[in-house]
Amino acid sequence: MTSYNDLTPALPSSPSLSSSPASTDHDPAALELWGGYECTVNRVGDRWFDQTPRSGHEHRLDDLALFAGLGMRSLRYPALWERMSPRSPDEIDFRWTDERLPEMARLGLNPIVTLCHHGSGPAYTSLVMDNFAAGLARHAAAVARRYPWVRDWTPVNEPLTTARFSALYGYWYPHTTDEGLFWRALLNEIDATRLAMREIRAVNPQARLVQTDDLGFCHATPPLQCEADHQNERRWMGWDLLCGKVVPGHALWERLCAFGLEERLRAIADDPCPPDVVGINHYLSSERLLDHRVERHPHRAIADRELGDCAGIPYVDVDAIRNHRPGVLGLPQLLRQAWERYRLPLAVTECHNGATREEQVRWFVEVWEGAQQLRREGMDLRAVTAWSLLGSYDWNRMVTRHAGHYEPGVFDVRSGRPRPTLLARVLRDLAQGRPAQAPGLEAPGWWRRESRFIDAPAGQAHVPVAGHSGGPAACDDGAPLLIVGDDGPLTHLAQRACEVRGLRHVLAGAGSALAQLRACRPWAVLDARDRDHVTRPLTTVPEPASGRLPALARQCAELGVPCALFVTAVGGAAPAPLPSGVLVARTGPVYLPWDRSARAVRLLDALDAGQAVAADAGHPWTAVYGPDLLDGVLDLLLDGMDGEAHFVPLESWTEADFARQLALTADRDAGQVTAHGEPLPPADAGAAGRPTSYLPPGETTLERFVRESRLARVAGEEAVQPREDEVRMEEAH
C-alpha cells in the first residue's frame, strides 16, 4: 500500500460545478462509452493487494490523456479510503487525487468516483465492524468537500459481490464463512452507501449514485434447484435494499430477520437511497451452474475447485457458459430483468473478456450492439463501460496472492508504458459512431461455439471460417492473415492457433509468398518458418540469430503490410535495422503438449506414472510452451505492435525447479524429483535491463500445459482445446 508522510497539502484550484465534464454538450440519444481501470484494493490477512501501482498508473498522469483519446464520456475512478487514510481517519492525503481529478475535468472526462472497490476499509475497520459505515461516510464527506464539482459517485463498488467474497466465501478479509456475518457485511455496505450519499449531497445536491454490482444467474441440476432459487433472489439484494424493497413480504425478509437484522432492515427501508443509475457488471463467467454430478468436472478452473454442500449434497459451482447445455440467459435478458425490476436508468459498468485479442473485441462489440438494440426497444440504457483499461493482475486466483498473472485490457502495460491493443482502435470507432472493424470479427466468439462445452467431442475447437487454403479463392472473403511456412511445428502451431481463434488465414510457401502477398492484400503476414531451429529438441543448442532481415519482411515493409517472424533468443541481436511494421519474436526452445518426446512432456508422463524424475539443478530452463508463444505473437500482431518482443520464461528456473513446479501443478509428489548437478547462482530478479517477456508466468503456463498434455495423451492433439474462460474468474461463485 502507498503511504504518505506529508498529509493534506493546500487545495489547488478546482473546476467549478458548471464547468465540470458532466455539463459539456453531447447527444443524449447516443449510447455513451465509459471506461474504468482495475483499481481494486483488497485485503488478504494482513496484506493489501493494490492494482494501481501494479499497473503503473500510480505514477503516470498521462494515462488520463490516453483514456480521453478513446472518446469516452465518463471514467470510473478511485478515491479509495484505504489509499487515502491508511493509518487514521484523521489523516487524509489528497495529493494523488488533487493531481488527477482536475486533469480529468480538463480533458473532458466525467469522473464516477469510487470510494471503496472490493475493499474492507483501512486496517482500523472491516466490513463486519460497526464503524465501517460511519467511517466511509466521513471519508465521502471529505472527498466531496475537496471536489464539490464531481457529480457521479459509487461509494461502494459491488457490495453484494464484495460481501460474498469476504464474509461468505472467506477469500478476502475478514475471511469469514458465516451467512449471518455475510448479511451484516452487506448491510454495513448499504448503510455506508446511504450515509456517504447523504454527506455528498450536502455538498452537491445534484450528486448521482451510480450503484454497481455483478448481475448473473444461477442454473442448477434438479437436486440443487432450491439453492439456485435462493441465489437468484440474493443477487438483487444490494439494489433492493437501496431501493427500499426489502420489507415484509420480500422473498428474503424472513431469512434476514432470523439473523436478528429486522431493525436494520426497517431503518433502511424507511430511508432508502435509490440509485440514479443501476450499474450492471457482467462477465462470461457470471452465470453459474450448481451441479451435483461432481465427477463430470475433473478439470475445473482454480477459482471453481472448492466443493459446496447443500443439505448434505456435494456440488461444484462452475461457469454455465461451458457447462450448461440448455444455455445461458445472456446479458440482454439479464438487463431486461433489471429494467423490469427497477425501471431506473441502467449502464453496463464493466465489460471485459479475459481472452485473446479478437475474442476481447468480439465480446465488447456484441455487448455494444446488444445495448443499442435494447435502447431501440425503449430501455433507458445509458452506456457501456470498457473495463480493465490497463489490464489486471491475478484475478484468475481471486487476487488472493501475487502470482504475476497479467491479462491485458484496452492497453497493455507489461513494458512499463501503456501500449494500445486492438480493442483501443475498436473503441475509438464505436465512440465516434463508426462500425467496428477488426480481423476475426466476422467469426463467432468462443461462447457461441459448440466447442465451448466441456463435453464437446474432440476436434470441434476449429472455427469454420473461409480462407484456409492457399489458392486464390481463399482471398475472396476479405483480408486474411498470410502465413508463410514450412512443414515444421511453428507453421503447424500458427495454422492451429488461427483455426481455434477463428482468424481467416492463407498458407503459402516461401516460393509463393510474394504472389500471395500481392493477391490477397492481407492485414498482416506471419512468417512461421523455423529458420533458427527453435523447435529442435531441448538438448540441441539453437543457432544464434543471423542478424539479417529476411527478404519477405523487407517486402512487407515496402508494401506497408505488418509482418512478424521468429528468431532464437540465444545469442546475437534481432535482425537489424527493423523497418516500421516488422515484429520480431525472440523465443527460447519450443515444446508442444502432444509431442511425447519433448522433455516437459516426458517429465509429466513420468510424474503421472509415479516414477522418480532426475532433473538438472545446474541447467537453466529456457523452454517456451508453443501454444503460449503463438497466442502471444498473434495478439501483438493484431495490436499492430512492431519492433522486438521477447518470449522467454519470466522465472529464472533450472530444469529441477521446473520439474518440481510441474509436480506441484500436476498434484504429484515433488519428492519424485531428484536434482543433480551444481546449482546455478541465484539470479538477480530486479536486474536492470532485463527485457519484457510477453509470456504468462510459469505457474499459469504449467496449468495449461498439464491439462493439455494429459488430454493429448489420452485422445491426441485434436482433444486439446483452449479454455478462454479460465483467464478471468472475477465474478465466479
Side-chain angles (χ1 to χ4, degrees), residues 615-646:
D616 193 342
H619 183 75
W621 183 266
T622 59
V624 172
Y625 190 47
D628 281 348
L629 170 65
L630 265 296
D631 277 340
V633 171
L634 283 173
D635 282 348
L636 297 187
L637 200 54
L638 285 162
D639 291 346
M641 179 176 169
D642 58 10
E644 187 173 326
H646 288 255

PDB file of all heavy atoms in Angstrom, residues 615-646:
ATOM      1  N   ALA A 615      16.436 -34.429 -12.559  1.00  0.00           N
ATOM      2  CA  ALA A 615      16.459 -33.148 -13.270  1.00  0.00           C
ATOM      3  C   ALA A 615      17.700 -32.375 -12.870  1.00  0.00           C
ATOM      4  O   ALA A 615      18.180 -32.464 -11.735  1.00  0.00           O
ATOM      5  CB  ALA A 615      15.202 -32.344 -12.973  1.00  0.00           C
ATOM      6  N   ASP A 616      18.206 -31.597 -13.812  1.00  0.00           N
ATOM      7  CA  ASP A 616      19.481 -30.895 -13.649  1.00  0.00           C
ATOM      8  C   ASP A 616      19.285 -29.574 -12.914  1.00  0.00           C
ATOM      9  O   ASP A 616      18.560 -28.690 -13.382  1.00  0.00           O
ATOM     10  CB  ASP A 616      20.090 -30.659 -15.035  1.00  0.00           C
ATOM     11  CG  ASP A 616      21.539 -30.230 -14.974  1.00  0.00           C
ATOM     12  OD1 ASP A 616      21.989 -29.789 -13.897  1.00  0.00           O
ATOM     13  OD2 ASP A 616      22.230 -30.332 -16.011  1.00  0.00           O
ATOM     14  N   ALA A 617      19.931 -29.424 -11.759  1.00  0.00           N
ATOM     15  CA  ALA A 617      19.866 -28.181 -10.994  1.00  0.00           C
ATOM     16  C   ALA A 617      20.861 -27.141 -11.496  1.00  0.00           C
ATOM     17  O   ALA A 617      20.857 -26.006 -11.023  1.00  0.00           O
ATOM     18  CB  ALA A 617      20.115 -28.451  -9.517  1.00  0.00           C
ATOM     19  N   GLY A 618      21.702 -27.529 -12.446  1.00  0.00           N
ATOM     20  CA  GLY A 618      22.687 -26.595 -12.975  1.00  0.00           C
ATOM     21  C   GLY A 618      22.387 -26.158 -14.390  1.00  0.00           C
ATOM     22  O   GLY A 618      23.214 -25.488 -15.024  1.00  0.00           O
ATOM     23  N   HIS A 619      21.205 -26.540 -14.901  1.00  0.00           N
ATOM     24  CA  HIS A 619      20.831 -26.212 -16.279  1.00  0.00           C
ATOM     25  C   HIS A 619      19.622 -25.292 -16.276  1.00  0.00           C
ATOM     26  O   HIS A 619      18.557 -25.658 -15.766  1.00  0.00           O
ATOM     27  CB  HIS A 619      20.515 -27.492 -17.057  1.00  0.00           C
ATOM     28  CG  HIS A 619      20.200 -27.247 -18.500  1.00  0.00           C
ATOM     29  ND1 HIS A 619      21.164 -26.941 -19.439  1.00  0.00           N
ATOM     30  CD2 HIS A 619      19.019 -27.249 -19.170  1.00  0.00           C
ATOM     31  CE1 HIS A 619      20.591 -26.774 -20.628  1.00  0.00           C
ATOM     32  NE2 HIS A 619      19.294 -26.960 -20.477  1.00  0.00           N
ATOM     33  N   PRO A 620      19.720 -24.076 -16.798  1.00  0.00           N
ATOM     34  CA  PRO A 620      18.556 -23.173 -16.791  1.00  0.00           C
ATOM     35  C   PRO A 620      17.450 -23.702 -17.701  1.00  0.00           C
ATOM     36  O   PRO A 620      17.720 -24.282 -18.754  1.00  0.00           O
ATOM     37  CB  PRO A 620      19.123 -21.855 -17.315  1.00  0.00           C
ATOM     38  CG  PRO A 620      20.338 -22.236 -18.093  1.00  0.00           C
ATOM     39  CD  PRO A 620      20.905 -23.451 -17.424  1.00  0.00           C
ATOM     40  N   TRP A 621      16.217 -23.492 -17.284  1.00  0.00           N
ATOM     41  CA  TRP A 621      15.050 -23.889 -18.086  1.00  0.00           C
ATOM     42  C   TRP A 621      14.638 -22.687 -18.929  1.00  0.00           C
ATOM     43  O   TRP A 621      14.109 -21.696 -18.422  1.00  0.00           O
ATOM     44  CB  TRP A 621      13.904 -24.338 -17.198  1.00  0.00           C
ATOM     45  CG  TRP A 621      12.727 -24.803 -18.007  1.00  0.00           C
ATOM     46  CD1 TRP A 621      11.649 -24.078 -18.392  1.00  0.00           C
ATOM     47  CD2 TRP A 621      12.541 -26.110 -18.552  1.00  0.00           C
ATOM     48  NE1 TRP A 621      10.788 -24.834 -19.155  1.00  0.00           N
ATOM     49  CE2 TRP A 621      11.313 -26.093 -19.271  1.00  0.00           C
ATOM     50  CE3 TRP A 621      13.284 -27.291 -18.520  1.00  0.00           C
ATOM     51  CZ2 TRP A 621      10.818 -27.212 -19.924  1.00  0.00           C
ATOM     52  CZ3 TRP A 621      12.787 -28.406 -19.179  1.00  0.00           C
ATOM     53  CH2 TRP A 621      11.567 -28.360 -19.872  1.00  0.00           C
ATOM     54  N   THR A 622      14.886 -22.775 -20.205  1.00  0.00           N
ATOM     55  CA  THR A 622      14.586 -21.664 -21.116  1.00  0.00           C
ATOM     56  C   THR A 622      13.498 -22.009 -22.120  1.00  0.00           C
ATOM     57  O   THR A 622      13.185 -21.198 -22.997  1.00  0.00           O
ATOM     58  CB  THR A 622      15.854 -21.254 -21.890  1.00  0.00           C
ATOM     59  OG1 THR A 622      16.332 -22.387 -22.637  1.00  0.00           O
ATOM     60  CG2 THR A 622      16.943 -20.773 -20.938  1.00  0.00           C
ATOM     61  N   ALA A 623      12.910 -23.209 -21.984  1.00  0.00           N
ATOM     62  CA  ALA A 623      11.935 -23.663 -22.974  1.00  0.00           C
ATOM     63  C   ALA A 623      10.638 -22.863 -22.876  1.00  0.00           C
ATOM     64  O   ALA A 623      10.232 -22.397 -21.810  1.00  0.00           O
ATOM     65  CB  ALA A 623      11.658 -25.145 -22.794  1.00  0.00           C
ATOM     66  N   VAL A 624       9.982 -22.725 -24.012  1.00  0.00           N
ATOM     67  CA  VAL A 624       8.758 -21.923 -24.152  1.00  0.00           C
ATOM     68  C   VAL A 624       7.643 -22.833 -24.641  1.00  0.00           C
ATOM     69  O   VAL A 624       7.832 -23.629 -25.582  1.00  0.00           O
ATOM     70  CB  VAL A 624       8.993 -20.770 -25.150  1.00  0.00           C
ATOM     71  CG1 VAL A 624       7.696 -20.045 -25.465  1.00  0.00           C
ATOM     72  CG2 VAL A 624      10.032 -19.805 -24.598  1.00  0.00           C
ATOM     73  N   TYR A 625       6.479 -22.705 -24.017  1.00  0.00           N
ATOM     74  CA  TYR A 625       5.326 -23.512 -24.400  1.00  0.00           C
ATOM     75  C   TYR A 625       4.765 -22.990 -25.717  1.00  0.00           C
ATOM     76  O   TYR A 625       4.345 -21.830 -25.817  1.00  0.00           O
ATOM     77  CB  TYR A 625       4.282 -23.462 -23.295  1.00  0.00           C
ATOM     78  CG  TYR A 625       3.154 -24.445 -23.464  1.00  0.00           C
ATOM     79  CD1 TYR A 625       3.400 -25.781 -23.779  1.00  0.00           C
ATOM     80  CD2 TYR A 625       1.832 -24.053 -23.298  1.00  0.00           C
ATOM     81  CE1 TYR A 625       2.365 -26.688 -23.923  1.00  0.00           C
ATOM     82  CE2 TYR A 625       0.789 -24.953 -23.431  1.00  0.00           C
ATOM     83  CZ  TYR A 625       1.064 -26.270 -23.748  1.00  0.00           C
ATOM     84  OH  TYR A 625       0.040 -27.174 -23.892  1.00  0.00           O
ATOM     85  N   GLY A 626       4.749 -23.830 -26.730  1.00  0.00           N
ATOM     86  CA  GLY A 626       4.387 -23.411 -28.082  1.00  0.00           C
ATOM     87  C   GLY A 626       3.052 -22.715 -28.208  1.00  0.00           C
ATOM     88  O   GLY A 626       2.951 -21.647 -28.837  1.00  0.00           O
ATOM     89  N   PRO A 627       1.959 -23.257 -27.639  1.00  0.00           N
ATOM     90  CA  PRO A 627       0.676 -22.556 -27.753  1.00  0.00           C
ATOM     91  C   PRO A 627       0.694 -21.158 -27.135  1.00  0.00           C
ATOM     92  O   PRO A 627       0.079 -20.230 -27.673  1.00  0.00           O
ATOM     93  CB  PRO A 627      -0.296 -23.488 -27.002  1.00  0.00           C
ATOM     94  CG  PRO A 627       0.301 -24.852 -27.186  1.00  0.00           C
ATOM     95  CD  PRO A 627       1.790 -24.630 -27.104  1.00  0.00           C
ATOM     96  N   ASP A 628       1.417 -20.977 -26.010  1.00  0.00           N
ATOM     97  CA  ASP A 628       1.540 -19.634 -25.431  1.00  0.00           C
ATOM     98  C   ASP A 628       2.274 -18.696 -26.381  1.00  0.00           C
ATOM     99  O   ASP A 628       1.917 -17.523 -26.530  1.00  0.00           O
ATOM    100  CB  ASP A 628       2.321 -19.703 -24.112  1.00  0.00           C
ATOM    101  CG  ASP A 628       1.481 -20.180 -22.937  1.00  0.00           C
ATOM    102  OD1 ASP A 628       0.253 -20.249 -23.084  1.00  0.00           O
ATOM    103  OD2 ASP A 628       2.073 -20.491 -21.889  1.00  0.00           O
ATOM    104  N   LEU A 629       3.321 -19.199 -27.011  1.00  0.00           N
ATOM    105  CA  LEU A 629       4.113 -18.389 -27.931  1.00  0.00           C
ATOM    106  C   LEU A 629       3.261 -17.903 -29.092  1.00  0.00           C
ATOM    107  O   LEU A 629       3.255 -16.699 -29.409  1.00  0.00           O
ATOM    108  CB  LEU A 629       5.304 -19.207 -28.445  1.00  0.00           C
ATOM    109  CG  LEU A 629       6.107 -18.590 -29.587  1.00  0.00           C
ATOM    110  CD1 LEU A 629       6.803 -17.318 -29.131  1.00  0.00           C
ATOM    111  CD2 LEU A 629       7.121 -19.602 -30.143  1.00  0.00           C
ATOM    112  N   LEU A 630       2.542 -18.797 -29.738  1.00  0.00           N
ATOM    113  CA  LEU A 630       1.762 -18.384 -30.914  1.00  0.00           C
ATOM    114  C   LEU A 630       0.600 -17.483 -30.539  1.00  0.00           C
ATOM    115  O   LEU A 630       0.306 -16.509 -31.243  1.00  0.00           O
ATOM    116  CB  LEU A 630       1.274 -19.622 -31.667  1.00  0.00           C
ATOM    117  CG  LEU A 630       2.164 -20.078 -32.824  1.00  0.00           C
ATOM    118  CD1 LEU A 630       2.221 -19.002 -33.922  1.00  0.00           C
ATOM    119  CD2 LEU A 630       3.568 -20.402 -32.368  1.00  0.00           C
ATOM    120  N   ASP A 631      -0.059 -17.761 -29.410  1.00  0.00           N
ATOM    121  CA  ASP A 631      -1.129 -16.861 -28.985  1.00  0.00           C
ATOM    122  C   ASP A 631      -0.574 -15.466 -28.709  1.00  0.00           C
ATOM    123  O   ASP A 631      -1.179 -14.451 -29.083  1.00  0.00           O
ATOM    124  CB  ASP A 631      -1.810 -17.401 -27.724  1.00  0.00           C
ATOM    125  CG  ASP A 631      -2.864 -18.451 -28.036  1.00  0.00           C
ATOM    126  OD1 ASP A 631      -3.338 -18.489 -29.186  1.00  0.00           O
ATOM    127  OD2 ASP A 631      -3.215 -19.222 -27.134  1.00  0.00           O
ATOM    128  N   GLY A 632       0.589 -15.407 -28.061  1.00  0.00           N
ATOM    129  CA  GLY A 632       1.176 -14.111 -27.745  1.00  0.00           C
ATOM    130  C   GLY A 632       1.578 -13.331 -28.987  1.00  0.00           C
ATOM    131  O   GLY A 632       1.340 -12.121 -29.078  1.00  0.00           O
ATOM    132  N   VAL A 633       2.192 -14.007 -29.952  1.00  0.00           N
ATOM    133  CA  VAL A 633       2.621 -13.322 -31.172  1.00  0.00           C
ATOM    134  C   VAL A 633       1.409 -12.841 -31.973  1.00  0.00           C
ATOM    135  O   VAL A 633       1.397 -11.717 -32.491  1.00  0.00           O
ATOM    136  CB  VAL A 633       3.517 -14.238 -32.019  1.00  0.00           C
ATOM    137  CG1 VAL A 633       3.788 -13.626 -33.386  1.00  0.00           C
ATOM    138  CG2 VAL A 633       4.841 -14.503 -31.301  1.00  0.00           C
ATOM    139  N   LEU A 634       0.386 -13.670 -32.087  1.00  0.00           N
ATOM    140  CA  LEU A 634      -0.814 -13.244 -32.808  1.00  0.00           C
ATOM    141  C   LEU A 634      -1.472 -12.050 -32.125  1.00  0.00           C
ATOM    142  O   LEU A 634      -1.946 -11.124 -32.796  1.00  0.00           O
ATOM    143  CB  LEU A 634      -1.799 -14.405 -32.916  1.00  0.00           C
ATOM    144  CG  LEU A 634      -1.472 -15.474 -33.963  1.00  0.00           C
ATOM    145  CD1 LEU A 634      -2.422 -16.652 -33.841  1.00  0.00           C
ATOM    146  CD2 LEU A 634      -1.533 -14.901 -35.378  1.00  0.00           C
ATOM    147  N   ASP A 635      -1.495 -12.051 -30.789  1.00  0.00           N
ATOM    148  CA  ASP A 635      -2.056 -10.896 -30.079  1.00  0.00           C
ATOM    149  C   ASP A 635      -1.295  -9.618 -30.409  1.00  0.00           C
ATOM    150  O   ASP A 635      -1.898  -8.568 -30.686  1.00  0.00           O
ATOM    151  CB  ASP A 635      -2.015 -11.138 -28.565  1.00  0.00           C
ATOM    152  CG  ASP A 635      -3.115 -12.067 -28.081  1.00  0.00           C
ATOM    153  OD1 ASP A 635      -4.042 -12.352 -28.855  1.00  0.00           O
ATOM    154  OD2 ASP A 635      -3.051 -12.508 -26.914  1.00  0.00           O
ATOM    155  N   LEU A 636       0.024  -9.682 -30.385  1.00  0.00           N
ATOM    156  CA  LEU A 636       0.812  -8.477 -30.661  1.00  0.00           C
ATOM    157  C   LEU A 636       0.666  -8.044 -32.115  1.00  0.00           C
ATOM    158  O   LEU A 636       0.661  -6.846 -32.419  1.00  0.00           O
ATOM    159  CB  LEU A 636       2.284  -8.733 -30.334  1.00  0.00           C
ATOM    160  CG  LEU A 636       2.620  -9.057 -28.872  1.00  0.00           C
ATOM    161  CD1 LEU A 636       4.135  -9.119 -28.674  1.00  0.00           C
ATOM    162  CD2 LEU A 636       2.004  -8.048 -27.922  1.00  0.00           C
ATOM    163  N   LEU A 637       0.533  -9.008 -33.006  1.00  0.00           N
ATOM    164  CA  LEU A 637       0.339  -8.677 -34.418  1.00  0.00           C
ATOM    165  C   LEU A 637      -1.020  -7.996 -34.616  1.00  0.00           C
ATOM    166  O   LEU A 637      -1.131  -7.009 -35.364  1.00  0.00           O
ATOM    167  CB  LEU A 637       0.434  -9.953 -35.249  1.00  0.00           C
ATOM    168  CG  LEU A 637       0.730  -9.833 -36.743  1.00  0.00           C
ATOM    169  CD1 LEU A 637       1.984  -9.011 -37.014  1.00  0.00           C
ATOM    170  CD2 LEU A 637       0.873 -11.232 -37.354  1.00  0.00           C
ATOM    171  N   LEU A 638      -2.050  -8.501 -33.938  1.00  0.00           N
ATOM    172  CA  LEU A 638      -3.363  -7.863 -34.009  1.00  0.00           C
ATOM    173  C   LEU A 638      -3.332  -6.454 -33.425  1.00  0.00           C
ATOM    174  O   LEU A 638      -4.025  -5.553 -33.907  1.00  0.00           O
ATOM    175  CB  LEU A 638      -4.393  -8.710 -33.258  1.00  0.00           C
ATOM    176  CG  LEU A 638      -4.867  -9.982 -33.969  1.00  0.00           C
ATOM    177  CD1 LEU A 638      -5.517 -10.935 -32.974  1.00  0.00           C
ATOM    178  CD2 LEU A 638      -5.845  -9.653 -35.088  1.00  0.00           C
ATOM    179  N   ASP A 639      -2.516  -6.256 -32.402  1.00  0.00           N
ATOM    180  CA  ASP A 639      -2.392  -4.925 -31.797  1.00  0.00           C
ATOM    181  C   ASP A 639      -1.686  -3.930 -32.707  1.00  0.00           C
ATOM    182  O   ASP A 639      -1.771  -2.718 -32.490  1.00  0.00           O
ATOM    183  CB  ASP A 639      -1.594  -5.006 -30.491  1.00  0.00           C
ATOM    184  CG  ASP A 639      -2.343  -5.721 -29.380  1.00  0.00           C
ATOM    185  OD1 ASP A 639      -3.561  -5.926 -29.522  1.00  0.00           O
ATOM    186  OD2 ASP A 639      -1.703  -6.065 -28.372  1.00  0.00           O
ATOM    187  N   GLY A 640      -0.943  -4.445 -33.695  1.00  0.00           N
ATOM    188  CA  GLY A 640      -0.149  -3.558 -34.535  1.00  0.00           C
ATOM    189  C   GLY A 640       1.208  -3.243 -33.935  1.00  0.00           C
ATOM    190  O   GLY A 640       1.865  -2.272 -34.358  1.00  0.00           O
ATOM    191  N   MET A 641       1.679  -4.053 -32.984  1.00  0.00           N
ATOM    192  CA  MET A 641       2.983  -3.808 -32.375  1.00  0.00           C
ATOM    193  C   MET A 641       4.089  -4.173 -33.358  1.00  0.00           C
ATOM    194  O   MET A 641       3.985  -5.131 -34.124  1.00  0.00           O
ATOM    195  CB  MET A 641       3.131  -4.631 -31.100  1.00  0.00           C
ATOM    196  CG  MET A 641       4.466  -4.459 -30.397  1.00  0.00           C
ATOM    197  SD  MET A 641       4.531  -5.368 -28.836  1.00  0.00           S
ATOM    198  CE  MET A 641       6.289  -5.245 -28.447  1.00  0.00           C
ATOM    199  N   ASP A 642       5.178  -3.403 -33.339  1.00  0.00           N
ATOM    200  CA  ASP A 642       6.349  -3.767 -34.118  1.00  0.00           C
ATOM    201  C   ASP A 642       7.581  -3.638 -33.235  1.00  0.00           C
ATOM    202  O   ASP A 642       7.493  -3.318 -32.048  1.00  0.00           O
ATOM    203  CB  ASP A 642       6.471  -2.939 -35.401  1.00  0.00           C
ATOM    204  CG  ASP A 642       6.541  -1.439 -35.133  1.00  0.00           C
ATOM    205  OD1 ASP A 642       6.689  -1.028 -33.960  1.00  0.00           O
ATOM    206  OD2 ASP A 642       6.449  -0.653 -36.099  1.00  0.00           O
ATOM    207  N   GLY A 643       8.748  -3.935 -33.806  1.00  0.00           N
ATOM    208  CA  GLY A 643       9.978  -3.946 -33.024  1.00  0.00           C
ATOM    209  C   GLY A 643      10.260  -5.331 -32.485  1.00  0.00           C
ATOM    210  O   GLY A 643       9.815  -6.342 -33.030  1.00  0.00           O
ATOM    211  N   GLU A 644      11.008  -5.398 -31.399  1.00  0.00           N
ATOM    212  CA  GLU A 644      11.445  -6.658 -30.835  1.00  0.00           C
ATOM    213  C   GLU A 644      10.594  -7.014 -29.619  1.00  0.00           C
ATOM    214  O   GLU A 644      10.351  -6.184 -28.741  1.00  0.00           O
ATOM    215  CB  GLU A 644      12.912  -6.535 -30.408  1.00  0.00           C
ATOM    216  CG  GLU A 644      13.547  -7.824 -29.948  1.00  0.00           C
ATOM    217  CD  GLU A 644      15.041  -7.642 -29.713  1.00  0.00           C
ATOM    218  OE1 GLU A 644      15.668  -6.854 -30.438  1.00  0.00           O
ATOM    219  OE2 GLU A 644      15.569  -8.288 -28.787  1.00  0.00           O
ATOM    220  N   ALA A 645      10.101  -8.253 -29.560  1.00  0.00           N
ATOM    221  CA  ALA A 645       9.313  -8.736 -28.426  1.00  0.00           C
ATOM    222  C   ALA A 645       9.926 -10.038 -27.930  1.00  0.00           C
ATOM    223  O   ALA A 645      10.183 -10.946 -28.724  1.00  0.00           O
ATOM    224  CB  ALA A 645       7.862  -8.956 -28.824  1.00  0.00           C
ATOM    225  N   HIS A 646      10.161 -10.129 -26.648  1.00  0.00           N
ATOM    226  CA  HIS A 646      10.811 -11.303 -26.074  1.00  0.00           C
ATOM    227  C   HIS A 646       9.762 -12.278 -25.537  1.00  0.00           C
ATOM    228  O   HIS A 646       8.851 -11.893 -24.795  1.00  0.00           O
ATOM    229  CB  HIS A 646      11.756 -10.885 -24.942  1.00  0.00           C
ATOM    230  CG  HIS A 646      12.979 -10.192 -25.438  1.00  0.00           C
ATOM    231  ND1 HIS A 646      14.223 -10.781 -25.490  1.00  0.00           N
ATOM    232  CD2 HIS A 646      13.160  -8.934 -25.926  1.00  0.00           C
ATOM    233  CE1 HIS A 646      15.100  -9.941 -25.978  1.00  0.00           C
ATOM    234  NE2 HIS A 646      14.479  -8.806 -26.251  1.00  0.00           N
TER     235      HIS A 646
END
